[in-house]
Amino acid sequence: MIEYLDVLRWLHILGATVLFGTGAGIAFFMLMAHRTGNAEIIAHTASVVVIADWVFTASAVVLQPITGYLLAAEIGWSIGEGWVVAALALYVITGLFWLPVIWMQKEMRDLARAAHANGLLLSKRYHVLFRTWFLFGFPAFFSVLIIFWLMITRPSLGVIF
């Protein structure tokens, strides 16, 4: 018999996997496209990345807090547990870096499309956006890694509220 708690755990792990996997995949493919310097390849890759971010990442972003809350309630963990509060704070930090990245990816896509259509090199604006996009990935990536660690180890950090 399938247990409610097992379904919640599965959904929460699935959401975390999609969130992390999509983020890592997007970063890899955007970096590889950027390294070509080819505006057509970058435009195409960025187009797919924008879609993937909306379909996969956004879905997981919504799923995670819902399944996390339901999971905590079912197990009896307080949302005020230190490790839960720390994980939620890191989740917010991740989101604060992810939201601007969505906008940057769209603009990089549009700039690459325009460069390709007009036979031009990628603009300075594109390169500034790419560097910013790349740097924003680090705090988001490491925050997610720490969230995984917190969820697995559930360290005793006391009750915050």
Side-chain angles (χ1 to χ4, degrees):
M1 175 122 201
I2 296 175
E3 299 286 331
Y4 176 64
L5 183 58
D6 292 334
V7 172
L8 285 177
R9 281 187 176 129
W10 179 74
L11 288 172
H12 198 65
I13 291 168
L14 182 62
T17 302
V18 168
L19 192 63
F20 185 75
T22 304
I26 282 171
F28 176 78
F29 289 114
M30 281 293 289
L31 178 61
M32 292 298 103
H34 172 78
R35 289 173 46 101
T36 69
N38 184 317
E40 182 179 19
I41 291 171
I42 293 167
H44 176 73
T45 302
S47 296
V48 173
V49 159
V50 168
I51 293 167
D53 240 350
W54 281 111
V55 172
F56 297 107
T57 310
S59 299
V61 163
V62 171
L63 181 67
Q64 283 311 100
I66 294 169
T67 59
Y69 175 79
L70 294 173
L71 192 56
E74 184 68 17
I75 292 172
W77 293 328
S78 167
I79 298 300
E81 294 273 345
W83 71 269
V84 174
V85 172
L88 289 171
L90 289 165
Y91 193 75
V92 169
I93 289 168
T94 300
L96 290 174
F97 282 94
W98 174 66
L99 289 171
V101 159
I102 295 171
W103 169 80
M104 287 182 231
Q105 289 168 172
K106 287 181 180 181
E107 189 172 348
M108 286 188 292
R109 175 200 62 198
D110 295 346
L111 290 168
R113 281 179 179 167
H116 173 65
N118 296 309
L120 301 172
L121 295 175
L122 292 162
S123 68
K124 181 178 177 181
R125 174 77 179 146
Y126 166 84
H127 289 284
V128 168
L129 279 169
F130 181 82
R131 281 191 299 276
T132 306
W133 174 88
F134 186 79
L135 291 173
F136 272 39
F138 287 98
F141 179 79
F142 287 110
S143 291
V144 171
L145 289 180
I146 296 167
I147 291 169
F148 278 133
W149 181 81
L150 289 167
M151 288 190 304
I152 292 166
T153 63
R154 297 183 306 277
S156 178
L157 301 175
V159 177
I160 306 299
F161 58 87

